[in-house]
Amino acid sequence: MTDVLVFGADSLVGSHYAATATRAITAAGRVDPRTVGLRVAGFRPVELDPTENVERMIREAPEPVVVNFAASTDVDAVERQRPAASDPPEVSPAFRVNALAPEAMARATHASGKQLITLSTDFVFDGIHGPYREDAHPGSVSAAISWYGWTKAEGERRVRAADPSAAIVRVAYPYRARFSGKLDFARRLVAHRRSGTLPPLFTDQTITPTWIPDVSRAIDHLIDRRASGTFHAASPEATTPHAFALELFTQLEGTPPKLAEGSVADFLRRPGAIPRPQHGGLIGDRLATQGVALTSWVDGIQAFLREGGGT
Ligand SMILES: NC(=O)c1ccc[n+]([C@@H]2O[C@H](COP(=O)([O-])OP(=O)(O)OC[C@H]3O[C@@H](n4cnc5c(N)ncnc54)[C@H](OP(=O)(O)O)[C@@H]3O)[C@@H](O)[C@H]2O)c1
């Protein structure tokens, strides 16, 4: 079995991979994931910003495969780092973590003949014509996508240029039944419903939520195939936040609740609103044709509840 060096092993998505992988995982990052109960074979401390140590670590690592889940993912916090037009993007720490660090990883894997798989997002798209296939072009107008999406798109571009044999796995609104580190799309809905703070849910936004165990299976498959290029791991059927929540609470409570409806189009028209894809989502043709089954959002909700996500 191939040993794997994992950046972001304590992340929402990455900790599922680290916890379920059949391969020996060595975590690299700021926090030893064993301190939060994850069983990994080893830990190497590293800060992604600045990137010099990342590159050296990968070149010297014995593991032939590197999987990168690490990123600055707080869309609101990252937006506050959007540089002025007169400033270079490097002034933004999120740009350094989301674009320069993956590029450094790709330089190192290319130079040392290792395999790189790095995670990305449907937020690279402007959300005008989604759901998007793997070969669709990310948004090209910076103001039309979030600064988070822009930094991730730039990371993708730099990874492809530095290591053409790298694989990029995009996910969208990832969710899982349990994770103590932070809420996700589905567990946030449950938490808001519990506390009576559920906001109006968008009926005019297209999303394809990712059942996180699919990502772990997809990554194992890509390692086995030593695959290159871009892959989408997301629900094969699109939905809206309102329809997803309605199905979730109908399955959880036994009867369809009345949920307040909202409009992402109205939301995006508000002054200062952070751009996000209205007609977003991902079409995972490449994984599906290679035999990696992706979980539909309705089946994902069933699995989520079966695994205790509603408790
Ligand atoms: N969550 C979503 O809604 C979503 C949606 C689409 C795509 N994605 C993508 O999926 C991947 C995983 O996202 P996630 O939500 O699972 O991540 P997450 O839970 O927010 O965790 C982020 C990870 O990045 C690490 N990290 C951040 N800055 C770092 C730095 N300067 N040096 C070292 N490590 C650093 C964090 O380490 P510490 O623990 O030390 O902070 C943590 O392990 C990312 O590529 C993300 O863009 C996420």
Side-chain angles (χ1 to χ4, degrees), residues 193 246 249-250 253-258:
R193 178 100 174 132
L246 189 61
F249 297 126
T250 302
E253 297 164 10
T255 50
K258 181 94 189 89

Side-chain angles (χ1 to χ4, degrees), residues 7-15 28-32 46-50 54 68-75 93 96-98 101 118-123 148 152 169-176 179 181-185 188 210 212 215 282:
F7 290 85
D10 62 339
S11 65
L12 167 69
V13 184
S15 61
R30 297 185 290 205
V31 177
D32 185 340
V46 71
E47 170 53 68
L48 294 184
D49 176 24
V54 179
N68 175 37
F69 297 93
S72 273
T73 59
D74 181 334
V75 176
R96 301 197 294 268
V97 171
N98 292 351
T118 190
L119 274 280
S120 194
T121 168
D122 66 331
F123 272 42
Y148 164 71
K152 293 291 293 184
V169 179
R170 295 192 186 117
V171 303
Y173 293 86
Y175 65 105
R176 59 189 286 194
F179 178 65
K182 70 176 185 185
L183 292 175
D184 57 30
F185 178 55
R188 183 172 292 110
T210 297
I212 287 175
V215 183
L282 303 169

Side-chain angles (χ1 to χ4, degrees), residues 268-293:
L268 291 171
R269 273 194 287 270
R270 287 188 202 158
I274 300 170
R276 68 181 67 187
Q278 176 172 0
H279 302 293
L282 303 169
I283 300 172
D285 283 349
R286 292 191 71 199
L287 284 172
T289 54
Q290 292 182 15
V292 180

Side-chain angles (χ1 to χ4, degrees), residues 1-255:
M1 272 293 169
T2 324
D3 293 353
V4 183
L5 183 64
V6 174
F7 290 85
D10 62 339
S11 65
L12 167 69
V13 184
S15 61
H16 186 278
Y17 180 68
T20 58
T22 50
R23 304 163 198 274
I25 302 293
T26 296
R30 297 185 290 205
V31 177
D32 185 340
R34 291 173 295 197
T35 60
V36 291
L38 265 180
R39 274 189 299 172
V40 290
F43 171 67
R44 291 187 210 126
V46 71
E47 170 53 68
L48 294 184
D49 176 24
T51 59
E52 289 85 64
N53 295 335
V54 179
E55 199 161 341
R56 191 170 50 243
M57 172 185 279
I58 292 176
R59 282 173 187 261
E60 292 171 359
E63 294 81 10
V65 179
V66 176
V67 183
N68 175 37
F69 297 93
S72 273
T73 59
D74 181 334
V75 176
D76 293 355
V78 172
E79 191 66 27
R80 291 192 286 276
Q81 297 175 20
R82 187 186 283 269
S86 53
D87 284 336
E90 289 80 2
V91 299
S92 158
F95 184 88
R96 301 197 294 268
V97 171
N98 292 351
L100 301 188
E103 180 183 32
M105 292 177 195
R107 266 199 309 268
T109 51
H110 188 58
S112 53
K114 294 179 175 140
Q115 181 182 10
L116 174 63
I117 299 174
T118 190
L119 274 280
S120 194
T121 168
D122 66 331
F123 272 42
V124 299
F125 296 113
D126 57 19
I128 296 172
H129 297 301
Y132 295 91
R133 295 187 191 282
E134 285 91 349
D135 58 358
H137 292 294
S140 56
V141 179
S142 155
I145 62 176
S146 60
W147 181 241
Y148 164 71
W150 186 262
T151 61
K152 293 291 293 184
E154 186 63 17
E156 289 187 3
R157 198 186 62 70
R158 286 169 181 251
V159 163
R160 287 189 197 99
D163 184 354
S165 68
I168 293 167
V169 179
R170 295 192 186 117
V171 303
Y173 293 86
Y175 65 105
R176 59 189 286 194
R178 295 185 187 278
F179 178 65
S180 58
K182 70 176 185 185
L183 292 175
D184 57 30
F185 178 55
R187 285 179 296 115
R188 183 172 292 110
L189 289 170
V190 172
H192 278 308
R193 178 100 174 132
R194 288 261 149 72
S195 58
T197 56
L198 202 58
L201 294 161
F202 301 145
T203 55
D204 58 351
Q205 185 185 22
T206 311
I207 59 172
T208 54
T210 297
W211 175 235
I212 287 175
D214 287 359
V215 183
S216 300
R217 283 191 298 108
I219 286 171
D220 264 339
H221 167 84
L222 296 176
I223 294 173
D224 288 341
R225 296 272 291 243
R226 216 205 187 284
S228 304
T230 305
F231 297 85
H232 288 173
S235 166
E237 288 98 37
T239 183
T240 68
H242 187 276
F244 185 94
L246 189 61
E247 176 69 21
L248 171 61
F249 297 126
T250 302
Q251 286 194 29
L252 185 61
E253 297 164 10
T255 50

